[in-house]
Amino acid sequence: MSDQKANLEWRDGAVPVSTRFDDPYFSLENGLAETRHVFLAGNNLPARFSPGFHIAELGFGTGLNLLTTWAAWDASGQTTPLRFTSFEGFPMSADEMARALEAFPSLAEYAHRLVAAWAEDNTLATLDGIEARVVIGDARETLATQDWQADAWFLDGFSPAKNPELWDADLIQRVGLHTKPGGTAATYTAAGFVRRNIEAAGFDVTRVPGYGRKRHMTTARKRK
């Protein structure tokens, strides 16, 4: 367990910004819409949902991606738990998470449950319909210890220009090894070195329209 915590300042009193990476945790325009566009649509979800579906994520942050996916899982009519594994190097406190998630009242029902569980144990557990686990520490070390392959990845570290460690070739290679054949990945960035690292990790990579002011983002499918 890392003793490093998120260092935050608040933009407009509502949007958390990492002072360590000088980057906001979610879109200043509409974080929920961005998550749906980049990570759900980017992985062709919820159309691909099925029993036992496993999503993995680099960068847990506020938990917004988990909440958005959890709500979509419930709305899709699935009756078994979604499996969601996230990696986070600098976790927020429960109070910080609660404050950040106030920006998304449509997810309040899920946010209350997440924050309550996070306050008790920030590695999480089964949360009524979702088996959520957050692995705290440096993902370059912790991902290598995992023994599963995910159906889909949310690559959501801070900007590659400011947080290059979460986008380096060795870590993305590990992402590839921990993805099922035919599995997918999506990220908001279209940085050239990120796309090259994803392709080298065994994926077919596509640059597609991004959200809002971001012209492009990246989707990828693991070669079989």
Side-chain angles (χ1 to χ4, degrees):
M1 177 84 57
S2 169
D3 60 0
Q4 293 180 287
K5 303 298 182 184
N7 295 326
L8 306 179
E9 62 183 18
W10 297 85
R11 191 166 299 173
D12 299 327
V15 178
V17 177
S18 168
T19 57
R20 180 178 283 107
F21 298 107
D22 186 30
D23 212 17
Y25 276 81
F26 47 75
S27 168
L28 303 180
E29 297 176 57
N30 187 323
L32 178 55
E34 180 181 46
T35 290
R36 288 171 172 159
H37 178 87
V38 174
F39 297 113
L40 294 189
N43 282 288
N44 192 27
L45 305 176
R48 292 173 56 219
F49 284 159
S50 60
F53 199 83
H54 185 186
I55 292 172
E57 173 184 57
L58 293 181
F60 184 68
T62 65
L64 175 59
N65 294 341
L66 181 149
L67 297 186
T68 306
T69 309
W70 187 3
W73 180 263
D74 283 354
S76 73
Q78 295 292 326
T79 57
T80 58
L82 169 69
R83 188 176 176 193
F84 193 104
T85 305
S86 187
F87 296 83
E88 175 59 55
F90 304 98
M92 287 187 172
S93 70
D95 287 344
E96 290 167 337
M97 183 178 291
R99 179 178 176 182
L101 293 174
E102 287 176 358
F104 310 104
S106 65
L107 295 174
E109 170 192 352
Y110 296 93
H112 292 325
R113 284 184 270 173
L114 171 61
V115 171
W118 190 254
E120 292 183 9
D121 179 3
N122 65 2
T123 61
L124 298 180
T126 299
L127 288 170
D128 186 24
I130 185 168
E131 294 178 358
R133 178 173 178 238
V134 179
V135 181
I136 305 297
D138 189 331
R140 293 173 295 178
E141 300 171 358
T142 56
L143 178 54
T145 68
Q146 307 300 308
D147 61 358
W148 41 258
Q149 289 185 310
D151 295 285
W153 276 89
F154 297 172
L155 304 180
D156 197 22
F158 289 111
S159 164
K162 299 174 180 179
N163 182 203
E165 297 83 3
L166 217 56
W167 305 94
D168 73 24
D170 288 345
L171 179 55
I172 299 301
Q173 191 71 31
R174 290 286 181 185
V175 168
L177 293 172
H178 287 82
T179 307
K180 294 177 182 177
T184 61
T187 178
Y188 63 86
T189 183
F193 85 93
V194 171
R195 289 187 285 114
R196 289 190 293 272
N197 288 348
I198 295 172
E199 185 170 18
F203 292 84
D204 293 324
V205 176
T206 305
R207 190 173 69 168
V208 299
Y211 174 77
R213 290 174 292 177
K214 294 179 180 176
R215 291 181 60 194
H216 300 111
M217 55 171 274
T218 302
T219 63
R221 181 174 296 277
K222 179 76 177 293
R223 292 189 286 271
K224 296 183 178 180

